[in-house]
Amino acid sequence: MSKIKNIFINLLTAALLAAGSAGTALAQFTGDFSQAGGANFDGGDYDLGMGVAFYADNVYAVGLSSPSGAIAVKYDLGGTVVSSAVLAGVEIFTGVAVNANGVYLAAQGAGTGFVVAKYTADLTFISSAAVSGDSSARGLALGDGPGDVFVSGSNWGEAGGNYDYKIAKFDSGLVFQSSSAFNYGGMEEGGGIAFDNGYVYITGTSLSGPTTYFVTAKYDAATLSYIDYSTYSGTAFLAAAQPSTSRLAVNPVSHDLYLVASSSYTKILVVRYSDALAELGSAEFQS
């Protein structure tokens, strides 16, 4: 891979740790959240932030750092590194969510299947689990209370070559519960996922003919039964399918849903939906 240094997405910061140990910050970590450049890490090759979560006055950022692979780092509110970790056998952490039970990470690697890992609050490894199939776990959401763990991705190559969104459900101890797929009729690639008020929402892209669309689907969280879907009124890309960059966030008071994605190679798209997936508005930012 080409040498790319100091890639940031908001507070997302790639981090590196000596393999197998947690809680040790290396000299390559520089800066903090009070500085204009933020807290950052330069691993000397390809570093990429993929997800971030806030819990109990700490920030958890995940991504990759080549050649070490999947990495996670915990910061305090000032941007000082508290601990960090790598996970052998996977190439990248793609999503993170945290609650009182621990830190949950979605992960991808060559031939790994659908992977989710669990750590303590200080990033000490507890366990991991994998569902056979496409190595496409891209997002992660937690249910209410001790609740469930929902992982989003795709089922490419499974069940005779389907190309659909996939949701895998685990309990808090990473015991697999069930899975479900969403077929829009094209080549679907699952991306962001969110939980709210007893429902799970998954978004991503669907390549239908020459056009790729953003499609968001709603499921019952208890049964993973399909409820409804909505297609963004604009197009995602007028080209072949792109890597799914879409993410979801929910307002827990209004229950409105927010889709954030790239609507072109130079534009960031934000779409607001009601909890019934009615499109309420959108905005674009172009660099």
Side-chain angles (χ1 to χ4, degrees):
M1 290 180 286
S2 61
K3 187 172 182 179
I4 301 175
K5 296 183 177 181
N6 301 338
I7 301 174
F8 306 100
I9 304 174
N10 295 326
L11 296 179
L12 306 183
T13 307
L16 181 62
L17 183 73
S21 62
T24 305
L26 299 184
Q28 291 94 331
F29 289 103
T30 58
D32 57 42
F33 296 156
S34 69
Q35 300 180 29
N40 60 87
F41 168 76
D42 181 2
D45 199 347
Y46 185 85
D47 307 316
L48 179 65
M50 288 295 294
V52 66
F54 177 83
Y55 185 79
D57 291 337
N58 291 286
V59 176
Y60 296 83
V62 301
L64 70 86
S65 181
S66 178
S68 296
I71 52 175
V73 59
K74 176 183 178 180
Y75 295 96
D76 65 18
L77 283 178
T80 299
V81 176
V82 177
S83 58
S84 52
V86 298
L87 180 62
V90 296
E91 298 170 354
I92 183 171
F93 286 132
T94 55
V96 56
V98 189
N99 63 14
N101 288 323
V103 180
Y104 296 88
L105 306 173
Q108 290 181 220
T112 58
F114 233 60
V115 177
V116 60
K118 181 178 181 180
Y119 288 76
T120 67
D122 287 325
L123 297 182
T124 299
F125 178 78
I126 297 175
S127 63
S128 64
V131 177
S132 61
D134 187 36
S135 302
S136 64
R138 294 189 180 89
L140 188 146
L142 302 179
D144 287 331
D148 297 305
V149 180
F150 301 92
V151 183
S152 62
S154 307
N155 67 355
W156 289 33
E158 299 177 32
N162 291 329
Y163 295 92
D164 306 324
Y165 294 176
K166 179 177 179 178
I167 303 173
K169 180 180 179 181
F170 302 83
D171 68 13
S172 60
L174 298 190
V175 176
F176 175 74
Q177 303 295 300
S178 62
S179 64
S180 187
F182 172 75
N183 179 14
Y184 185 68
M187 293 177 62
E188 281 76 59
E189 189 169 1
I193 190 168
F195 171 89
D196 181 60
N197 200 30
Y199 300 103
V200 176
Y201 301 86
I202 182 172
T203 194
T205 56
S206 176
L207 175 62
S208 300
T211 305
T212 304
Y213 298 93
F214 288 119
V215 185
T216 303
K218 180 178 181 179
Y219 283 79
D220 180 271
T223 63
L224 287 189
S225 299
Y226 166 77
I227 296 174
D228 202 358
Y229 78 90
S230 180
T231 305
Y232 170 56
S233 58
T235 56
F237 291 95
L238 295 174
Q242 303 297 316
S244 187
T245 57
S246 52
R247 293 292 183 265
L248 288 175
V250 176
N251 183 325
V253 178
S254 68
H255 304 295
D256 287 347
L257 188 69
Y258 295 86
L259 162 67
V260 180
S262 299
S263 55
S264 77
Y265 293 105
T266 60
K267 294 180 181 179
I268 297 174
L269 171 71
V270 180
V271 184
R272 179 187 173 200
Y273 294 96
S274 72
D275 59 350
L277 294 184
E279 190 175 318
L280 303 178
S282 64
E284 283 186 321
F285 169 78
Q286 183 165 6
S287 61

